[in-house]
Amino acid sequence: MEAAVDDPLGAFVRDRVAGGEPDRVAGGEPDRVAGGEPDRVGLGWRGDLAAGIFAHLDRIDLVELIADDYFKADAKTLRPLQLLSSQVPLTLHGVAMGLAGSEPVDDARLLAMGRLIDALKPESWSEHLAFVRSGGFEIGHLAAPPRRESNVAAAIANIERATRVIAAAPRLENIATLVEPPGSPLSEPAWTGTILDGAGAPMLLDLHNLYANARNTGQSPEALLAAMPLARVQGVHLSGGHWIDEPAMSGRTAGQRLLDDHVHDVPEDVFGLLAVLAARVPQPLEVIIERDGAYPDFDVLLGQVDAARAALARGRAHRHPATLKAAA
Amino acid sequence: MNPFALHGFSFLFFYIGLGVVTLVALRYWFRISEPAPSDMPRFNDPYLIAYLRGGEEEAIRVTTISLADRGLLVFEGDQLKRASNDRDLAQRDIERAVLQAFAKPASGSAALTDKGARRACEAYKKALIKTGLMAGPAVYSKRLVSVGVAAVILMGTAGYKVQLALSQGRHNVGFLIMLALLFAAILIGVWRMRRTGAGDAAVADMKQLFKRLKDRAKTLKSGGQTNELAMLLGVFGLTALSASAFPMIDRIYPTPRADSGSSCSSSSSCSSSCGGGCGGGGCGG
């Protein structure tokens, strides 16, 4: 019971949502569209990129921070991030809550995320639709759970709990997987859409993850994109990857799989998907380019920021009649 | 215990302790009474950061090196000279002023005293005073009260003790008077500090945010087009760059610098959006 005196999570929730229901980030409803907010493009914050980001604040609309890096940070450590948040809008990105796991989400992580949000006042926060632990065992990476009706309810419960504690719904990100999760009667779009609808949460659509999943499962990336719950997309991730060899296994010949690694440039195809997305949805999009290593000259990253803007502009210029009507 | 009953070195030690405590308390008072500005300036200008950190000369130094790195200043023998008559290539007033300072070949340090370059720094000074990161007339006036209290404590203590000693026929007060004068000088220095507490915090925060880049400063290339070099110099100064990677700096300002190594000790920025989660599916995030 959250009212218990020694329940820190309960006390935290009461402090944050006192006097009313928690805010819920709208899932791409038309009223948001009517605001006429522009699309925005930014970068993931990495210390290596600090000078480039600061020097080009006029070309970077927002910055995404990896929340988990700062869950144990004290006030002194957070102070520089508060300076950063005075310079450019922030969004927080979590990586290890495991919201799509069948186990209840870890209270300590929710508390840490909530405190970080209180300290940095980001515009939004996001997490992955992944499972990362089970039975107390950390599996060490973002794994795609079996896409079944039976784990949809658990994921929704986790998201709703996170929404109550944080007082804002997370944007939920589709993850990359080299293989279709075994035991998955539901398609990725159907499973994702059911969870997002059930939890009333917005989506962070990682277009390289989508592209990789499509290529690895023999689907058309455009068709997979079209099947996703696009009305709920508020954020977009762009990144790169590389092809890895797939050994011959029982019944399968050797081939290749696309690995999402965040250390390569965003492929042209993925910018193409961004243009398609921009043509299909009326709501403003926040696009983050993720780069985690093998950093190129910063002007290369700025070029990708510009390419994302160009793709958005291309898409908006060819907006689907249905989305124009919705926007009106 | 009555400290005025102490004699000789015993009293001097007491007085030094009193002075140190008073100065620390004064700095602490400045920090808490000079609050963070509600409206931070945009730190996308490396020369603004350099000015905040080190004043006019530091801003001019960073500007000179940035211009030389971009090829807008070139060497003519051991002197620097503007490479082009097209001042439009410069992006900011201070860059144009420094280019003008090198219209004729001059040593690298010539711009440090150039009136035009120093005048170009005035805009930074005004912006930083306005946002409360640097002390202006209002802050100096406010500080005067607390510095005055500190001065009364320190000078009053010394004066009373000198009077007491002389009235008791002891004349070994020279060290005490010297100490009192030293503390008076320090108090004036503390009162005149350029930055406010918020300004000190902003410089420290920028250094923390740029720490990873400083660690890999060796990988920065000369002639870059993205101002990373200037930003790094703005935040840390010339010591951030290794002499071997940027020999040009030594030619302009021959100062000792330490080569910086590369490390990944900052837990806050070494991880990626994969977190610990990179695995069979790639980052997946």
Side-chain angles (χ1 to χ4, degrees), chain A residues 45-52 54-58 66 69-70 79-81 83-84 86-87 93 95 128 140-142 173-178 206 209 237 259-262 290 292 297-299 302, chain B residues 40-45 49 92 200-202 204-206 208-213 216 221 225-229 231-232 267-285:
Chain A
W45 172 262
R46 308 289 181 265
D48 295 86
L49 305 178
F54 267 85
H56 299 91
L57 288 172
D58 53 337
I66 302 302
D69 287 348
Y70 305 102
R79 206 185 62 190
L81 299 177
L83 174 71
L84 177 64
S86 75
Q87 302 291 303
H93 188 50
V95 294
H128 298 85
H141 80 106
L142 300 167
E173 180 178 359
N174 56 310
I175 64 164
T177 177
L178 289 170
D206 189 315
N209 288 352
H237 273 175
L259 182 75
D260 174 68
D261 63 12
H262 295 191
E290 297 180 291
D292 291 342
D297 286 346
F298 198 78
D299 49 2
L302 283 178
Chain B
M40 275 279 189
R42 266 208 147 183
F43 287 120
N44 59 349
D45 182 342
I49 301 168
R92 295 185 162 96
D200 286 342
D205 291 346
M206 291 291 286
Q208 191 58 36
L209 288 171
F210 280 59
K211 183 178 178 303
R212 285 274 297 162
L213 185 69
R216 69 168 186 92
K221 292 176 190 166
Q225 300 297 309
T226 57
N227 268 357
E228 281 184 287
L229 178 77
M231 291 298 287
L232 191 67
S267 62
S268 63
S269 50
C270 279
S271 50
S272 68
S273 67
C274 300
C278 283
C283 279

Side-chain angles (χ1 to χ4, degrees), chain B residues 177-188:
Chain B
I177 291 171
M178 282 169 58
L179 270 177
L181 292 175
L182 177 66
F183 280 129
I186 294 174
L187 281 176
I188 291 171

Side-chain angles (χ1 to χ4, degrees), chain B residues 57-274:
Chain B
E57 290 196 356
E58 192 64 9
I60 295 170
R61 267 191 211 101
V62 172
T63 309
T64 304
I65 289 169
S66 174
L67 291 170
D69 181 58
R70 287 149 55 194
L72 300 182
L73 288 175
V74 292
F75 284 101
E76 193 170 283
D78 283 336
Q79 296 190 312
L80 279 176
K81 182 174 182 283
R82 195 169 72 195
S84 163
N85 286 326
D86 187 359
R87 292 205 309 160
D88 290 342
L89 290 173
Q91 297 168 5
R92 295 185 162 96
D93 287 346
I94 190 171
E95 291 183 341
R96 283 186 276 275
V98 170
L99 280 181
Q100 186 60 37
F102 290 108
K104 293 178 182 173
S107 68
S109 56
L112 298 179
T113 52
D114 181 79
K115 285 181 182 172
R118 294 182 88 92
R119 202 163 40 241
C121 291
E122 279 298 309
Y124 294 135
K125 184 179 180 181
K126 283 180 184 167
L128 291 167
I129 289 174
K130 187 180 173 190
T131 51
L133 296 181
M134 271 183 57
V139 171
Y140 284 127
S141 297
K142 192 176 168 190
R143 282 180 182 175
L144 210 50
V145 176
S146 44
V147 169
V149 170
V152 166
I153 292 171
L154 290 175
M155 301 308 114
T157 301
Y160 180 68
K161 181 63 180 173
V162 167
Q163 188 189 25
L164 200 63
L166 293 176
S167 69
Q168 293 172 351
R170 282 180 280 106
H171 294 82
N172 56 337
V173 294
F175 279 126
L176 180 58
I177 291 171
M178 282 169 58
L179 270 177
L181 292 175
L182 177 66
F183 280 129
I186 294 174
L187 281 176
I188 291 171
V190 170
W191 173 64
R192 286 168 52 103
M193 282 190 312
R194 295 170 56 251
R195 288 193 302 259
T196 61
D200 286 342
V203 170
D205 291 346
M206 291 291 286
K207 286 183 175 176
Q208 191 58 36
L209 288 171
F210 280 59
K211 183 178 178 303
R212 285 274 297 162
L213 185 69
K214 189 187 179 196
D215 289 345
R216 69 168 186 92
K218 275 182 179 172
T219 66
L220 287 181
K221 292 176 190 166
S222 189
Q225 300 297 309
T226 57
N227 268 357
E228 281 184 287
L229 178 77
M231 291 298 287
L232 191 67
L233 290 175
V235 174
F236 292 105
L238 272 55
T239 54
L241 295 176
S242 71
S244 54
F246 293 89
M248 164 260 290
I249 299 178
D250 250 354
R251 287 184 71 185
I252 301 174
Y253 300 111
T255 50
R257 282 189 306 279
D259 279 359
S260 52
S262 176
S263 73
C264 196
S265 58
S266 167
S267 62
S268 63
S269 50
C270 279
S271 50
S272 68
S273 67
C274 300

Side-chain angles (χ1 to χ4, degrees), chain A residues 99-100 129 145-149 151-157 159-160 172 186 188-201 229 232:
Chain A
L99 292 176
L129 269 178
R147 299 178 189 126
R148 314 174 66 87
E149 294 282 1
N151 66 13
V152 164
I156 291 173
I159 296 162
E160 287 181 336
L172 295 162
L186 295 175
E188 184 183 2
W191 181 78
T192 306
T194 307
I195 291 173
L196 294 183
D197 286 346
R232 291 196 170 276

